[in-house]
Amino acid sequence: MLTLRCKPPVGNPSPAVSWWKDGHPVDTHNNKRLLVKSDTNSSLVIIRKAKLADGGDYSCVASNLVGRRESAIVKLNVYGKFMRRIINDF
């Protein structure tokens, strides 16, 4: 499991937070391995069993009536399936 965290700026009214991947909203409807959780202090993207297609440029956007603010981009590279290898020495 992989977690990306964003702490949005404080605002009045409180900003709505959204996550973007490669310039498009993170799609939790078509990718059930992705979960977005937000509260007033932070927002998370949780990626379960990351696949090569999950790699890309992620950013967090906070917006309200006053304005919009985007985080720095986080480049996520997924190189392949993680495998634990156990070696027994006899």
Side-chain angles (χ1 to χ4, degrees):
M1 181 168 45
L2 175 99
T3 303
L4 301 175
R5 181 183 311 268
C6 170
K7 184 172 177 170
V10 177
N12 188 8
S14 295
V17 178
S18 59
W19 283 90
W20 293 71
K21 177 187 176 233
D22 299 328
H24 302 284
V26 168
D27 185 3
T28 57
H29 296 290
N30 291 322
N31 187 344
K32 299 299 181 191
R33 292 176 302 98
L34 295 180
L35 176 66
V36 174
K37 288 186 169 186
S38 296
D39 62 26
T40 56
N41 296 320
S42 66
S43 181
L44 307 172
V45 169
I46 300 168
I47 305 173
R48 295 177 291 244
K49 297 182 181 180
K51 294 184 177 184
L52 294 173
D54 295 321
D57 295 338
Y58 287 81
S59 63
C60 172
V61 175
S63 59
N64 63 13
L65 297 172
V66 178
R68 178 182 189 275
R69 188 165 174 188
E70 185 172 356
S71 70
I73 290 175
V74 172
K75 181 172 281 301
L76 176 63
N77 295 313
V78 179
Y79 294 106
K81 186 176 180 180
F82 173 75
M83 295 177 60
R84 179 181 287 176
R85 188 175 210 173
I86 300 173
I87 300 173
N88 292 320
D89 292 328
F90 294 97

